[in-house]
Amino acid sequence: MPVPTLILVHEPEAACLGRLLAEGFDKGHAAEIASYLAQSTDLAVEFDDLSQACKAHGLTFRPVELDDASAALAGQNPERTLVWTLTDGIAYFRGGAAPALARLNGLRTIGADDTLFALCQDKFRSGAVLGAHGLPVPSAGLARNGEWLVEPPSSGSGWFVKPNRLGAKIGIWPDSRCHDLGSALEISRRIFGAYRDDALVQPYVPGRNVRASFLGLERRAGVEALGISFVDSGSDFQTMDDSLALYGETGEAAKTQGIYAEPLLEAVIDSQPGADRKIRELTGKLMRSLGLHDVFSLDLRVEPDDTLHLIEFEVCPGLPCFDFRSYCGTQWHLALPEAIARTAANRLIDSGSKPI
């Protein structure tokens, strides 16, 4: 009888970079865009550890590059195959195709269904859907190359401008927070020129940055398994340069030079238990209404009085990133490879602990 198999589909930085250059992107900006796939680079060095961890749980581990996924998933045994998509994307990145390919082949997946892979990558549409569910999402306008597609609401605290479909960052440049709409339109021109993307323009919201991480290692895990932490990088928001200094080849270079510095993580419950409770309630609503499960993360801003602002959700959180590793250690007391392997085993093994 075939051994149950975990297939991890990932899009490499190099493949994305080559495609963007072929599409005419500037080399520097293409490298910035591809850097959002650094989790594929960072996790690849642990594939042997993942393979050993899976083997210990009676599974075969098979990493598959996205360009090979169509052929790799075809003909797999639906009862003995689990597909985990590491990298998402519907624009610059194409990982959102992987769960759709799995569904096409009748294969089970880790994570949300493929419709959410598309929704979470379009911040304007995602915000509209989350707002319709009554969740505390900042309202937004949308600009394209200096022209309004949707005018933003008024704001006494200025506005925040970010690409609509690129990665999961709160901003790109230090002036992403601006105080007049003329500046917002100018930033939208820069975003369009550099990344060919629309710009989301939201009223600036105060508070500290919070990351809520979830891994449903146990099948019935709920909001009690969330890890909710303040993320303190020493600045109000993360820029592209901040991101480049943390992950992939640039992050490794920073470690070599002794200048690598991870943001500090502080459990929200330690200082704002009310905010922790409200985030769990909000997450429970997302799990019920949108169908988030298995693995995901939320980015929020939290004010001192526990007021929440939901910035976005991700269905492919950066597994090898410092915050998710910390979450796996704190919540599940496991290193990342073992946490991934055990989660997959709990999906591929039935209640009688026999392969299905």
Side-chain angles (χ1 to χ4, degrees):
M1 182 177 292
V3 176
T5 300
L6 169 63
I7 295 179
L8 183 75
V9 180
H10 60 104
E11 183 173 9
E13 284 183 87
C16 177
L17 178 62
R19 181 166 43 79
L20 292 173
L21 292 175
E23 292 174 4
F25 277 85
D26 168 85
K27 184 177 181 180
H29 291 134
E32 289 177 344
I33 294 168
S35 74
Y36 282 90
L37 299 175
Q39 60 170 312
S40 289
T41 302
D42 292 341
L43 194 58
V45 299
E46 297 180 80
F47 282 169
D48 286 345
D49 293 336
L50 268 165
S51 181
Q52 291 301 313
C54 285
K55 184 177 180 181
H57 288 281
L59 310 178
T60 294
F61 172 67
R62 183 181 176 191
V64 172
E65 294 189 7
L66 181 63
D67 287 335
D68 302 324
S70 181
L73 298 185
Q76 295 296 319
N77 185 333
E79 294 300 320
R80 307 184 69 78
T81 305
L82 185 68
V83 179
W84 193 323
T85 303
L86 178 64
T87 47
D88 53 22
I90 56 171
Y92 313 95
F93 322 122
R94 300 166 299 151
L101 285 171
R103 182 160 61 89
L104 182 66
N105 287 280
L107 305 177
R108 287 177 294 171
T109 60
I110 283 283
D113 68 62
D114 41 293
T115 61
L116 291 188
F117 275 72
L119 180 64
C120 75
Q121 285 293 295
D122 188 315
K123 295 183 178 71
F124 186 76
R125 293 178 183 177
S126 174
V129 170
L130 295 173
H133 281 280
L135 296 167
V137 182
S139 52
L142 193 68
R144 178 179 298 158
N145 196 22
E147 296 185 4
W148 294 118
L149 301 177
V150 178
E151 291 194 11
S154 60
S155 172
S157 57
W159 291 266
F160 209 89
V161 187
K162 59 186 178 183
N164 187 47
R165 299 176 301 167
L166 178 59
K169 294 294 169 287
I170 299 177
I172 291 291
W173 299 293
D175 64 350
S176 289
R177 181 187 178 185
C178 58
H179 294 279
D180 63 85
L181 291 177
S183 296
L185 287 176
E186 175 56 31
I187 296 171
S188 82
R189 292 187 187 95
R190 272 190 273 152
I191 287 174
F192 190 84
Y195 307 111
R196 305 180 188 177
D197 200 5
D198 295 339
L200 194 74
V201 182
Q202 295 175 310
Y204 173 83
V205 293
R208 298 175 67 185
N209 297 318
V210 167
R211 169 62 59 90
S213 300
F214 181 85
L215 178 66
L217 186 143
E218 297 173 350
R219 291 185 185 218
R220 297 178 182 175
V223 296
E224 76 287 344
L226 275 173
I228 306 173
S229 298
F230 289 116
V231 183
D232 185 4
S233 64
S235 59
D236 189 29
F237 58 89
Q238 191 177 52
T239 66
M240 176 65 81
D241 285 344
D242 295 331
S243 177
L244 289 172
L246 284 174
Y247 312 116
E249 294 181 1
T250 309
E252 286 301 315
K255 291 176 183 177
T256 300
Q257 297 168 24
I259 58 175
Y260 176 82
E262 293 178 353
L264 299 176
L265 299 174
E266 173 193 328
V268 170
I269 196 171
D270 290 345
S271 58
Q272 292 186 234
D276 180 275
R277 175 183 52 79
K278 291 171 69 174
I279 291 170
R280 293 181 195 276
E281 292 173 353
L282 178 153
T283 303
K285 185 170 184 178
L286 279 171
M287 295 174 79
R288 292 189 301 272
S289 61
L290 288 189
L292 292 182
H293 58 87
D294 291 341
V295 60
F296 61 86
S297 67
L298 310 178
D299 287 307
L300 307 99
R301 298 272 276 186
V302 176
E303 298 188 47
D305 65 357
D306 297 342
T307 297
L308 304 184
H309 305 279
L310 176 60
I311 304 301
E312 60 197 350
F313 71 92
E314 300 175 24
V315 294
C316 278
L319 298 184
C321 298
F322 70 94
D323 56 305
F324 202 84
R325 288 183 188 275
S326 175
Y327 161 71
C328 288
T330 301
Q331 174 63 36
W332 297 113
H333 310 292
L334 296 172
L336 181 63
E338 175 64 17
I340 293 173
R342 194 173 299 185
T343 301
N346 285 341
R347 299 306 189 280
L348 281 167
I349 304 297
D350 66 12
S351 58
S353 297
K354 296 179 181 179
I356 58 177

